[in-house]
Amino acid sequence: MNKKVFNIIGWILLIGMGASWIVIDYSSWYVLFLPLAYICFSISDGSIKKAKKIRKMSISQVVLILLSFVVSVGIVFGLIQLANYVINDSLHLTGWMKTFSQIIAVILSLYPVKFTFGSVVYKVTSDLNAKRS
């Protein structure tokens, strides 16, 4: 498929999540849609080059990536739930301040996952590149 198509799909997912979050509020489906948007953007910018690298991965590397993905999703979910508790129960925010705080909380909760999951994927891909050379 064309790289622009994946870029458009990624933006549609992000804009759709943002709009539904403002209208409906947080849904657990966002934990699924956000990695899908990340994968779409990775394909569109060329980070995911070929499926041949996946075939060259060992079982332990695949398990490591899957485990780090599960842990990353757990971290995001836990941080979002913690932020939801603080915003709703501790601070009792309402209106635009609550919405703004929730947006900032979701953005900030994604950064630890970006570093943890990204570093594991980077390590595995660098190991694959080192084996190939």
Side-chain angles (χ1 to χ4, degrees):
M1 288 182 87
N2 195 353
K3 291 182 178 182
K4 289 183 179 181
V5 172
F6 282 106
N7 193 17
I8 292 170
I9 291 171
W11 279 110
I12 289 172
L13 285 171
L14 284 180
I15 291 170
M17 284 186 329
S20 66
W21 186 26
I22 291 171
V23 173
I24 301 172
D25 205 11
Y26 174 76
S27 173
S28 60
W29 282 97
Y30 300 153
V31 176
L32 175 66
F33 288 140
L34 194 63
L36 289 176
Y38 179 77
I39 290 170
C40 288
F41 287 128
S42 295
I43 291 171
S44 72
D45 71 2
S47 297
I48 300 176
K49 295 279 185 188
K50 299 176 184 176
K52 292 180 183 178
K53 286 186 179 180
I54 294 173
R55 290 186 202 140
K56 293 180 182 180
M57 290 172 51
S58 67
I59 299 294
S60 63
Q61 289 173 328
V62 172
V63 169
L64 179 65
I65 288 177
L66 290 175
L67 185 64
S68 67
F69 178 74
V70 169
V71 169
S72 298
V73 169
I75 290 170
V76 167
F77 186 73
L79 289 174
I80 289 174
Q81 291 299 326
L82 176 66
N84 190 31
Y85 170 77
V86 169
I87 290 169
N88 290 329
D89 297 335
S90 296
L91 300 176
H92 303 290
L93 297 177
T94 58
W96 67 271
M97 192 64 171
K98 177 182 176 182
T99 303
F100 181 72
S101 299
Q102 287 175 336
I103 291 170
I104 296 299
V106 168
I107 291 170
L108 291 176
S109 67
L110 292 176
Y111 276 102
V113 171
K114 177 183 175 186
F115 296 124
T116 57
F117 185 65
S119 65
V120 169
V121 171
Y122 179 75
K123 179 188 177 300
V124 169
T125 56
S126 65
D127 288 346
L128 289 175
N129 289 337
K131 286 181 183 178
R132 190 174 69 180
S133 298

